[in-house]
Amino acid sequence: MSIPFFSIDFKYSDWRNYLIGSFGANYENVFEKEISKRFKTENHMVFPSSRMSFYLLFKKLFKTGDEIIFSAMSFPLYVKISCQLNLIPVLVDIETDHMTINPELIKKNITNKTKAIVITNLFGHPAYLEEISIIAKDNNLIIIEDCAQSIDSYYNNKETGSFGDYSLFSTGAVKTPTTLGGGILVAKNKSLFNNIKDIKKNMRNSKKISSLTSYYIKNLVSILNSYPFIYSILSHRAIGLLKKNNPELMRKIFYSGIGNEKIYNPWERPKQINYQFSVGISQFNKIREMTIKRKKNSSILDSLLKKNKKISFLKEGKNVFWNNQYYIIYSENNLESLYEQIFEQGVHLLYENVWDCSNYKLKVKINDPLINTKKICKNMIRVPNNSMLSENQMISIGEKINKFLKY
């Protein structure tokens, strides 16, 4: 049986809400209340995507020529949007323990043009949030927290998103929790929040039946592919052919927006509709349940891979509760062969070499060599640790990797 690179934790309650939301009452207000409880604020908005909220936020916050500090390993589309808005992204190298932005290097890159720091909690692991918060406060800088992958991760008992002046969350199809496409903006500045809210009321994103229908079908296929048995029949062979014959197209499918040279269109996604909010309610009610299962699966992989000197993997930091959104291994040994061979054995690994923002045709500022980013980013693979997988499946994955990378 084949194992997908991601899966949506879709159990009975999710299917029930999916069907009720497709044909039943309006759940948007109920979902909004769930968000308020989670983030303890009324200053939040849901969007068709987190990238739309990023675009509107940056358009309102900054002016031409402002410098914004980013981790060199973060979401390239956010850097691209900054360039599109005539801002100057300043890329800063990562620390090696958790692959997040290095606080000491942030200090070196602050100038009189610096207006903000974007903190990316990459792979769900919190960055050094308190340390960076002090740096921002000392230099009168805005913090934008990119929590696309880090819902239910904590730093010193505070959830990610609590540190930023503005925080962005993704509830896209491959995220946990999911609304099968969407994002959330949380803001501390009430005035600017209301300004963006007014813009959102006049959104021109697609409401065409054709757009909504195709998106609905795409989401349904994603859900079905979450089940290894169905994925084995429905997609594994097709993805294998795509991987062999058109790897660039496969990359575009799996990493939407990364590397796309077209001008970013904030209205690219159709407006969220009722079934997405209904599913979101179910998903937000079981966040911790899904986190615990991913952490358990990750610990199985840890125990199997820890003696393998050819492999490194992320470890939970001190004073951190990590949601284990992604399980990442790092190796400089036969990575391409590992990817190919394990895929042939039915386990869909995924290259994670897309996060180096200096690799794209973007007008960015780089003051220091991105030594860690360059070394690590090209040697990473994501291993499935999804909450839909069983203990035996996790053991099988770990054993396959160890067998190939003999130690």
Side-chain angles (χ1 to χ4, degrees):
M1 187 181 299
S2 299
I3 295 174
F5 82 92
F6 86 94
S7 67
I8 303 168
D9 189 310
F10 229 73
K11 305 290 177 57
Y12 171 77
S13 62
D14 304 290
W15 278 113
R16 180 194 63 208
N17 281 32
Y18 179 84
L19 294 172
I20 292 173
S22 297
F23 305 105
N26 190 308
Y27 284 92
E28 184 172 0
N29 290 336
V30 182
F31 180 65
E32 291 276 4
K33 290 178 181 177
E34 288 294 328
I35 299 299
S36 292
K37 286 193 294 185
R38 181 77 194 184
F39 301 113
K40 298 178 177 62
T41 178
E42 294 298 323
N43 293 349
H44 73 268
M45 273 179 280
V46 295
F47 287 85
S49 65
S50 59
R51 58 190 69 175
M52 175 186 275
S53 62
F54 183 93
Y55 176 89
L56 294 178
L57 176 65
F58 271 50
K59 189 174 178 64
K60 283 295 171 185
L61 269 179
F62 306 116
K63 64 181 186 300
T64 297
D66 285 347
E67 292 186 358
I68 314 297
I69 290 176
F70 283 86
S71 167
M73 261 178 63
S74 53
F75 189 29
L77 182 57
Y78 284 173
V79 176
K80 176 183 175 178
I81 290 170
S82 300
C83 293
Q84 188 174 316
L85 293 171
N86 297 312
L87 308 176
I88 302 172
V90 180
L91 301 186
V92 172
D93 205 5
I94 58 169
E95 44 78 31
T96 55
D97 289 339
H98 312 113
M99 303 182 191
T100 61
I101 191 167
N102 187 324
E104 291 304 313
L105 292 179
I106 290 175
K107 295 178 186 177
K108 289 178 60 179
N109 281 274
I110 294 172
T111 71
N112 58 1
K113 292 184 178 180
T114 308
K115 303 301 177 186
I117 304 167
V118 177
I119 306 175
T120 302
N121 300 307
L122 196 62
F123 309 133
H125 195 287
Y128 288 95
L129 294 165
E130 288 190 349
E131 292 85 341
I132 297 171
S133 295
I134 293 170
I135 294 169
K137 185 177 180 181
D138 289 345
N139 292 276
N140 196 28
L141 301 177
I142 295 169
I143 290 180
I144 293 99
E145 214 179 326
D146 175 6
C147 306
Q149 301 166 350
S150 67
I151 295 180
D152 205 33
S153 287
Y154 290 76
Y155 190 79
N156 283 344
N157 298 315
K158 286 179 63 178
E159 188 167 10
T160 58
S162 304
F163 297 84
D165 298 289
Y166 304 92
S167 300
L168 304 148
F169 301 85
S170 174
T171 54
V174 299
K175 301 299 192 304
T176 305
T178 183
T179 55
L180 302 172
I184 302 165
L185 170 66
V186 174
K188 291 179 180 176
N189 185 312
K190 182 72 172 178
S191 176
L192 190 129
F193 172 82
N194 287 333
N195 198 313
I196 296 175
K197 194 172 186 179
D198 289 339
I199 297 172
K200 188 195 169 194
K201 288 179 182 177
N202 300 312
M203 286 196 304
R204 301 189 303 272
N205 51 307
S206 176
K207 298 179 184 178
K208 294 178 182 177
I209 295 297
S210 59
S211 297
L212 295 174
T213 301
S214 63
Y215 205 61
Y216 187 93
I217 293 170
K218 179 183 176 182
N219 282 335
L220 180 58
V221 170
S222 295
I223 296 168
L224 294 175
N225 271 322
S226 300
Y227 299 90
F229 176 74
I230 298 176
Y231 174 78
S232 302
I233 299 169
L234 195 64
S235 296
H236 190 260
R237 288 185 180 180
I239 290 173
L241 289 172
L242 189 62
K243 179 172 68 67
K244 181 179 179 180
N245 299 315
N246 197 337
E248 189 59 32
L249 177 58
M250 188 177 80
R251 174 187 169 104
K252 288 179 180 178
I253 292 171
F254 291 157
Y255 294 104
S256 173
I258 293 182
N260 190 334
E261 294 185 5
K262 294 180 180 178
I263 296 295
Y264 170 68
N265 173 18
W267 322 108
E268 63 178 0
R269 297 280 177 87
K271 186 177 181 180
Q272 285 177 292
I273 56 178
N274 196 46
Y275 79 94
Q276 293 176 272
F277 297 121
S278 183
V279 167
I281 293 165
S282 174
Q283 287 276 305
F284 268 77
N285 280 329
K286 61 172 188 174
I287 289 175
R288 182 51 58 89
E289 174 189 329
M290 295 186 289
T291 296
I292 289 171
K293 185 61 166 67
R294 282 197 311 277
K295 287 177 77 69
K296 180 180 178 181
N297 287 347
S298 296
S299 68
I300 293 170
L301 291 174
D302 287 352
S303 64
L304 289 167
L305 301 178
K306 66 183 179 182
K307 294 180 181 179
N308 194 326
K309 295 180 181 179
K310 295 181 179 180
I311 299 171
S312 299
F313 49 86
L314 288 181
K315 299 176 181 65
E316 192 170 69
K318 186 179 179 182
N319 300 323
V320 162
F321 178 85
W322 175 26
N323 68 5
N324 285 89
Q325 180 79 209
Y326 291 173
Y327 190 94
I328 301 295
I329 63 171
Y330 167 82
S331 177
E332 297 183 46
N333 297 274
N334 300 319
L335 200 66
E336 187 173 340
S337 296
L338 171 68
Y339 172 72
E340 296 290 343
Q341 291 294 322
I342 301 299
F343 186 91
E344 290 302 316
Q345 294 177 49
V347 180
H348 190 170
L349 308 179
L350 202 65
Y351 272 122
E352 290 294 326
N353 57 356
V354 299
W355 304 102
D356 181 356
C357 296
S358 69
N359 276 345
Y360 300 87
K361 296 177 181 178
L362 301 170
K363 292 183 179 179
V364 299
K365 185 175 178 181
I366 302 172
N367 297 319
D368 307 298
L370 305 177
I371 296 170
N372 294 332
T373 297
K374 292 297 180 186
K375 180 182 178 182
I376 291 173
C377 195
K378 65 182 180 181
N379 293 304
M380 295 191 304
I381 276 184
R382 189 197 320 181
V383 180
N385 69 327
N386 314 301
S387 51
M388 294 281 275
L389 300 177
S390 69
E391 182 175 339
N392 287 337
Q393 285 171 321
M394 297 310 305
I395 292 171
S396 175
I397 292 170
E399 288 177 344
K400 283 179 168 66
I401 293 171
N402 272 337
K403 186 176 180 180
F404 182 83
L405 292 175
K406 295 177 181 178
Y407 56 97

